[in-house]
Amino acid sequence: MESLIGLLVGAPLLGAAVLLCGGRRLDRAGHWLASVLAGASFVLGAVLFFDMLGKDGEHRALHSHLYSWVPVEGFQADVAFQLDQLSMTFVLLITGVGTLIHIYSIGYMEHDERRRRFFGFLNLFLAAMLLLVLADNFLLLYVGWEGVGLASYLLIGFWQHKPSAAAAAKKAFLVNRVGDAGLAIAIFLMFTTFGTFAFAPVLSSATDASEGKLTAIGLMLLLAACGKSAQVPLQSWLGDAMEGPTPVSALIHAATMVTAGVYLITRSGAIFNAAPDAQTAVVVVGAVTLIFGAIVGCAKDDIKKALAGSTMSQIGYMILAAGLGPIGYAFAIMHLVTHGFFKAGLFLGAGSVMHGMNDEVDMRKYGGLRKYMPVTFVTFGLGYLAIIGFPGLSGFFSKDQIIEAAFAKGGTQGWILGTVALIGAAITAYYMTRVMVLTFFGEKRWEPDENGNEPHPHESPSVMTIPMIVLAFGSVFAGGLFKAGDSFVHWLEPVTQHSHGDSPVSAATVTTGTVVALLLGVGAAWLQYGRRPVPRTAPRGSLLTRAARRDLLQDDVNHAAFVTGGSYLTRSLVYVDHKLVDGLVNGTAATFGGLSGRLRRLQNGFARSYAVSMFGGAAVLIAATLLMRAV
């Protein structure tokens, strides 16, 4: 079975190579080739999963060594894979949801002239993400990490004829480079501390290192996670990433890129467990981001950007849970998987709405679409119920567990984190109900565009609706399946460990609190948008609303702190260079140039002048000699 692990990465990587290098002869069949290879990777993952189920929990991990990458004395880098319960969970999510998105894209990108290239980039994305979660060392993980960054740049900017798409791709690339620098520094520190960057020796020796070094490594890993998973303060790229085709949004937000940071922290759990300060930083980042993203999602009229704020918030829940240590690692991954189902379904549903509305994204120009797009309405609605935590659906089980784990942190910190998580649940119910009402309920609000073309909403073709239906089943049943007998926790426990903590509130109290929060959020949104006419243009709103429309001024802060500050720093350095450095260099040159010019006047070419100089010199020497003798 170990020999099959490499094929998980190899199948989509082969597809990417063939589609990107094969030329236009593959235009007619390239999308099918990419989808088949993505599906083949999922089938291989399923085979390995069932083989793993037949083994004891402590003996399920598989290792596959392909070759020595950098074999030099004192530095050993291998291309080797590790398939355990944690990486298997990601393999099934990435390949399963990824394959559904490939199939959906066949219909969504049907009329795009560069469809073959698009599917090549999708395959590259899957291959890079699989390499990231299957690597058995941090250096190989870094290769997959950078591959995901490259693929995201290519996909976000796929419609590069749009200046906004090109700018969004560049922004995502640059912001992620900050996080990537953190991961690189963490790997350097690991090697200098442990002499290796392989998972097994680093994580098993974590308790032997000083807390200061582990804190530094943990903070750099957190910085990396903030970049990839769009957490505060590196969250600014995520909303702009919606400029890419909608299947890209589903792939990035549900099953691949933004989950990489959660995987990194969970995989590095032994380091964070031994570095409480770094662990606290993880919790703070997650708690701040889950509220930050939720507030941003409340103010967006663009359906995809509202869902992007939702992703930021839900990943915040996962990061918060991962920061709780063994109390929350399993629940972070559980919510990650359930989120993969309902968030992919929501984005594909948004793409279906756009498909039927001439690519219109403004929800204020929708209304009443449930009558025209019944399949999209039902599947999107189930995803909506799952994400707000409706009792019995997937999000209810996974999010409840995170809120309960937050309270179980204990002390004042536990009360604060649990309360923040509950507030986030209420806001989630509010902004998602707003999305649902503006899109599918009320009277129709669409109107002809500037060219006089009026949208004619209609249901999407089956190649798009079938993946949405499959994801809707996951949105409904996955959480209950994971919760039954704590099966998911027991599945991950050999890798992540698990402890129950000491919660001051009972599970029933938490459930009651989350249901109350849900009802408050849904009720507030219904009163504001379901019982009142929806204006064609958004009202001015409060100061917080205006700030939320501008992503809580995240771009303004970055511009003031880095662009403006960097410009002042650059101008200061140029001034110093021109006035001080160049002045010193040019002044020295001018001094010697002037002196040489004056000395050059002595060389006038007249023999009489030279004779006088010789006579004068001889006279000076004779006088000096006589004077010395006299003395």
Side-chain angles (χ1 to χ4, degrees):
M1 286 295 176
E2 288 84 353
S3 60
L4 295 179
I5 300 176
L7 296 178
L8 289 170
V9 180
L13 186 61
L14 173 64
V18 170
L19 293 177
L20 297 177
C21 301
R24 294 189 175 181
R25 64 178 66 89
L26 294 171
D27 281 355
R28 292 186 177 181
H31 49 286
W32 291 112
L33 175 64
S35 301
V36 167
L37 289 173
S41 190
F42 173 71
V43 171
L44 285 171
V47 170
L48 289 167
F49 170 70
F50 286 110
D51 177 72
M52 187 178 284
L53 285 179
K55 301 176 182 178
D56 294 334
E58 300 294 336
H59 302 90
R60 285 173 169 168
L62 298 175
H63 292 81
S64 175
H65 182 275
L66 295 188
Y67 60 90
S68 294
W69 180 13
V70 187
V72 298
E73 185 176 357
F75 186 92
Q76 182 70 30
D78 296 326
V79 175
F81 299 132
Q82 172 178 303
L83 185 64
D84 56 19
Q85 291 92 322
L86 178 60
S87 51
M88 174 57 77
T89 301
F90 276 84
V91 165
L92 293 177
L93 177 66
I94 293 165
T95 58
V97 176
T99 299
L100 292 173
I101 292 172
H102 273 69
I103 295 172
Y104 176 94
S105 300
I106 293 173
Y108 191 87
M109 301 295 289
E110 181 179 5
H111 302 294
D112 196 290
E113 296 179 354
R114 300 168 65 236
R115 181 166 63 167
R116 170 184 54 81
R117 186 182 295 270
F118 177 80
F119 277 87
F121 292 158
L122 285 184
N123 267 195
L124 179 62
F125 208 128
L126 287 191
M129 191 66 192
L130 288 168
L131 179 62
L132 190 159
V133 300
L134 287 170
D136 85 331
N137 61 80
F138 285 96
L139 189 62
L140 188 60
L141 179 150
Y142 186 80
V143 176
W145 192 272
E146 290 299 312
V148 170
L150 170 63
S152 67
Y153 170 78
L154 296 172
L155 287 169
I156 293 170
F158 183 75
W159 287 328
Q160 55 194 244
H161 59 277
K162 296 166 55 180
S164 57
K170 182 171 66 175
K171 183 177 182 179
F173 190 83
L174 292 175
V175 173
N176 272 272
R177 294 293 72 75
V178 179
D180 296 352
L183 181 55
I185 293 171
I187 295 173
F188 298 155
L189 291 173
M190 287 177 195
F191 188 78
T192 58
T193 303
F194 303 105
T196 181
F197 30 68
F199 290 157
V202 169
L203 300 179
S204 63
S205 304
T207 54
D208 298 331
S210 69
E211 185 175 319
K213 287 185 177 180
L214 292 175
T215 299
I217 293 172
L219 291 176
M220 290 299 101
L221 291 174
L222 174 60
L223 179 63
C226 287
K228 274 290 184 288
S229 294
Q231 299 292 284
V232 171
L234 299 180
Q235 78 288 359
S236 62
W237 66 271
L238 193 63
D240 292 335
M242 298 303 97
E243 290 293 336
T246 300
V248 174
S249 304
L251 191 63
I252 289 177
H253 286 247
T256 54
M257 186 169 177
V258 295
T259 64
V262 183
Y263 171 80
L264 180 66
I265 293 174
T266 306
R267 175 63 74 185
S268 310
I271 294 174
F272 287 96
N273 294 341
D277 290 340
Q279 201 169 56
T280 298
V282 174
V283 169
V284 171
V285 166
V288 170
T289 307
L290 78 86
I291 297 296
F292 187 105
I295 293 173
V296 169
C298 291
K300 294 297 183 181
D301 294 325
D302 184 319
I303 187 171
K304 289 173 65 178
K305 290 192 175 183
L307 294 178
S310 167
T311 297
M312 192 187 306
S313 178
Q314 298 304 307
I315 299 294
Y317 272 105
M318 301 171 207
I319 294 291
L320 184 152
L324 297 174
I327 301 174
Y329 287 138
F331 301 139
I333 303 303
M334 181 177 174
H335 193 53
L336 185 151
V337 176
T338 60
H339 177 265
F341 285 114
F342 57 69
K343 184 51 63 68
L346 288 169
F347 267 111
L348 296 189
S352 180
V353 169
M354 293 167 58
H355 182 269
M357 293 292 292
N358 294 347
D359 291 326
E360 178 62 65
V361 296
D362 189 344
M363 294 183 292
R364 292 182 179 275
K365 297 179 181 179
Y366 292 163
L369 291 181
R370 70 185 187 279
K371 295 179 291 187
Y372 303 91
M373 310 178 72
V375 176
T376 300
F377 167 64
V378 172
T379 55
F380 192 98
L382 291 173
Y384 152 74
L385 293 174
I387 194 174
I388 68 173
F390 189 84
L393 274 68
S394 292
F396 169 77
F397 293 105
S398 57
K399 193 185 296 184
D400 259 28
Q401 295 283 13
I402 292 177
I403 297 172
E404 187 176 345
F407 280 111
K409 182 68 174 176
T412 304
Q413 187 179 20
W415 280 105
I416 293 173
L417 294 176
T419 302
V420 167
L422 281 174
I423 293 173
I427 302 176
T428 299
Y430 172 82
Y431 69 74
M432 285 306 305
T433 301
R434 175 178 180 267
V435 170
M436 195 71 188
V437 171
L438 288 179
T439 303
F440 294 103
F441 292 91
E443 299 298 324
K444 70 173 188 177
R445 297 184 299 276
W446 60 84
E447 54 191 22
D449 60 19
E450 57 187 14
N451 297 320
N453 299 318
E454 182 173 340
H456 297 283
H458 57 277
E459 190 57 86
S460 298
S462 58
V463 74
M464 295 172 64
T465 56
I466 290 175
M468 293 158 55
I469 293 170
V470 174
L471 290 169
F473 273 95
S475 301
V476 174
F477 298 112
L481 181 65
F482 294 158
K483 176 63 177 175
D486 288 332
S487 57
F488 195 79
V489 172
H490 294 319
W491 163 258
L492 288 178
E493 192 169 4
V495 180
T496 62
Q497 306 304 315
H498 182 68
S499 64
H500 294 284
D502 186 18
S503 178
V505 296
S506 66
T509 302
V510 171
T511 299
T512 302
T514 56
V515 171
V516 170
L518 180 154
L519 294 175
L520 289 175
V522 171
W526 178 256
L527 288 175
Q528 185 171 357
Y529 296 98
R531 300 289 299 274
R532 302 175 185 176
V534 177
R536 297 298 177 93
T537 58
R540 178 176 173 81
S542 65
L543 180 62
L544 178 61
T545 300
R546 296 197 299 273
R549 288 178 188 145
R550 297 176 59 183
D551 300 327
L552 291 181
L553 309 181
Q554 54 187 305
D555 285 332
D556 301 82
V557 171
N558 290 341
H559 190 276
F562 300 107
V563 178
T564 303
S567 297
Y568 279 122
L569 177 61
T570 301
R571 286 197 291 268
S572 299
L573 292 175
V574 169
Y575 179 83
V576 170
D577 180 59
H578 285 173
K579 299 299 182 180
L580 182 60
V581 178
D582 287 354
L584 181 61
V585 172
N586 295 337
T588 302
T591 299
F592 282 96
L595 181 61
S596 64
R598 287 170 174 76
L599 292 175
R600 191 162 52 244
R601 294 175 184 176
L602 300 176
Q603 306 293 324
N604 55 20
F606 294 112
R608 59 180 180 271
S609 297
Y610 298 154
V612 171
S613 299
M614 294 170 64
F615 176 77
V620 170
L621 289 174
I622 292 171
T625 302
L626 293 175
L627 181 62
M628 292 179 66
R629 286 184 176 181
V631 173

